[in-house]
Amino acid sequence: MKYRIEERVLHFKQPAGTSRGVYTERKIWLIHLSDGKYEGVGECAPLPDLSCDARSDYAEVLDGFCKEFCRWQESPCEALRDYPSMLFGLETALLDLRSQERGVLFDTAFSRGEVGIPINGLVWMGSYEEMLQRMEQKLEQGFRCVKLKIGAIDFDQELDLVKRIRERFSFHEVELRLDANGAFPFEEALYKLELLSQYAIHSIEQPIKAGQWSYMAELCRESPLPIALDEELIGVNDPEMKRHMLNVIKPRYIILKPSLHGGMQGCREWISAAKEQGIGSWITSALESNIGLNAIAQFAADVYGDAIRMPQGLGTGQLFTDNIDMGLEIRGDRLWRKVRR
């Protein structure tokens, strides 16, 4: 087996604002695996200042792992457990290679183009006017679940945005999810959650910064809003530690990104541990190109089955001016895979 690593830079159509800064471009590495007849492609897309395996010598480390894998051709899961974005790229390339059909990783109704996966509409951080406009666009496009990133502007203005949605649409019509990206100080978090709770919020992701297990556990006990963990899961790669964390914090949900949370194998471990404790989950992309998004969407269909009801976070495929065509399209509030027949 041979490999080739390709580095690419993707450019955002509009700056993507988060509480950690604003992205205008995105660097990714594509792994090409070949057995001499077929080729498989996978995407490695670490996020700077967030991924546990983001590092200055990323390309060199990835090359070393690919070289070792092609030499021994053993399962990469254990060797790459602490390098989730690299593991996800190699897992995807292997599945793609073995399927012998470009871009088909799992045999599901979604991968065959028979059903779409429900997704949430994502409203990025920005000024009040920008966020209001983006929110209106998502509602006009027909999304029944909208995720609002908060924590970058004045909290009262963000509260007003949420209020505006609820004045127009009841919780029966539009499900609202919030993502604070750890923006709330712990001392203010419960008060803010109480204010938000009057607007029938489905859940809020990561209200305080990761790494404060006792504080997060207290919030999960006291919060009138269901809390979901996201950044909190990054770097927790040992299966026993995953179960221990969930047992200590006891969130209502966990949100899984294969590039951040252990590749596909690591996410399966998180889902299994969460189920044992009655904790819900869903899967989202993390600003990958369509190669990564295609893999994540097919993975979600394989994990949860073809009759997925809970909206997944798979709406990032239209963010880049120079994305890679993988036959994905959004129709209404569902992600579909176009298949040539």
Side-chain angles (χ1 to χ4, degrees):
M1 189 179 294
K2 296 182 179 180
Y3 75 94
R4 175 172 62 90
I5 298 173
E6 175 189 359
E7 182 177 316
R8 286 202 183 194
V9 177
L10 305 175
H11 300 86
F12 285 87
K13 294 177 181 178
Q14 296 178 341
T18 75
S19 60
R20 290 177 297 275
V22 178
Y23 293 107
T24 58
E25 61 181 32
R26 179 83 161 97
K27 183 183 289 188
I28 64 171
W29 288 264
L30 301 179
I31 300 174
H32 299 260
L33 289 181
S34 173
D35 62 3
K37 184 177 181 181
Y38 297 102
E39 182 179 89
V41 182
E43 177 177 354
C44 304
L47 282 167
D49 302 320
L50 185 61
S51 297
C52 64
D53 57 352
R55 47 194 296 160
S56 59
D57 60 347
Y58 188 92
E60 291 81 5
V61 173
L62 177 61
D63 184 76
F65 278 127
C66 289
K67 187 176 296 181
E68 285 298 301
F69 171 75
C70 288
R71 178 182 300 166
W72 304 109
Q73 296 188 33
E74 297 178 349
S75 171
C77 293
E78 288 306 315
L80 288 172
R81 184 173 284 278
D82 293 328
Y83 301 85
S85 65
M86 299 184 195
L87 175 56
F88 176 58
L90 197 50
E91 286 175 316
T92 301
L94 274 171
L95 288 169
D96 194 27
L97 174 65
R98 290 169 179 169
S99 77
Q100 301 179 2
E101 184 177 351
R102 183 177 183 268
V104 178
L105 310 182
F106 298 96
D107 183 18
T108 67
F110 171 75
S111 66
R112 296 191 297 270
E114 297 168 0
V115 300
I117 297 176
I119 61 175
N120 60 249
L122 179 59
V123 176
W124 290 97
M125 291 178 176
S127 69
Y128 176 82
E129 290 75 18
E130 289 171 336
M131 293 180 71
L132 181 60
Q133 182 182 20
R134 292 168 189 167
M135 182 180 70
E136 294 284 352
Q137 288 173 346
K138 295 300 178 186
L139 296 175
E140 288 172 5
Q141 289 167 7
F143 283 95
R144 296 173 59 85
C145 177
V146 176
K147 175 179 170 179
L148 194 67
K149 282 187 171 289
I150 62 174
I153 62 175
D154 179 74
F155 178 73
D156 289 336
Q157 289 186 310
E158 292 173 335
L159 199 62
D160 186 62
L161 280 172
V162 174
K163 180 181 178 182
R164 282 184 177 232
I165 299 178
R166 277 291 168 253
E167 286 175 346
R168 285 184 54 196
F169 300 96
S170 72
F171 69 93
H172 295 294
E173 297 170 299
V174 174
E175 180 179 285
L176 281 180
R177 297 175 178 174
L178 303 179
D179 183 1
N181 285 125
F184 297 165
F186 172 70
E187 296 77 13
E188 301 174 9
L190 188 57
Y191 173 67
K192 291 181 175 180
L193 295 177
E194 288 171 348
L195 291 177
L196 290 165
S197 68
Q198 62 187 310
Y199 299 113
I201 306 299
H202 172 271
S203 58
I204 183 166
E205 297 178 37
Q206 206 68 44
I208 62 174
K209 289 182 180 179
Q212 306 177 85
W213 287 18
S214 60
Y215 284 164
M216 187 66 83
E218 182 178 338
L219 279 183
C220 287
R221 287 195 306 270
E222 303 296 331
S223 172
L225 288 182
I227 290 176
L229 301 186
D230 181 354
E231 289 94 334
E232 199 75 63
L233 312 179
I234 296 172
V236 182
N237 299 316
D238 177 75
E240 285 302 318
M241 187 58 69
K242 291 175 182 180
R243 284 189 283 270
H244 177 61
M245 169 190 274
L246 296 180
N247 186 54
V248 169
I249 298 179
K250 293 182 170 59
R252 184 76 63 86
Y253 302 102
I254 57 173
I255 301 169
L256 297 166
K257 300 178 174 72
S259 291
L260 295 175
H261 300 135
M264 298 184 200
Q265 179 60 35
C267 286
R268 289 186 192 275
E269 292 171 355
W270 276 116
I271 292 168
S272 176
K275 280 184 177 179
E276 291 173 4
Q277 301 186 41
I279 296 167
S281 65
W282 67 86
I283 292 171
T284 81
S285 54
L287 304 181
E288 294 88 356
S289 78
N290 279 331
I291 290 178
L293 179 60
N294 174 63
I296 295 166
Q298 291 192 49
F299 174 64
D302 184 66
V303 168
Y304 297 126
D306 287 315
I308 298 176
R309 293 186 178 182
M310 178 176 284
Q312 308 293 297
L314 305 174
T316 58
Q318 299 174 317
L319 294 176
F320 304 109
T321 61
D322 43 7
N323 211 333
I324 301 162
D325 183 22
M326 291 297 292
L328 299 173
E329 65 177 359
I330 296 175
R331 303 179 209 160
D333 64 349
R334 288 178 177 262
L335 180 70
W336 290 79
R337 187 172 182 274
K338 294 183 291 183
V339 178
R340 295 179 181 177
R341 304 189 186 281

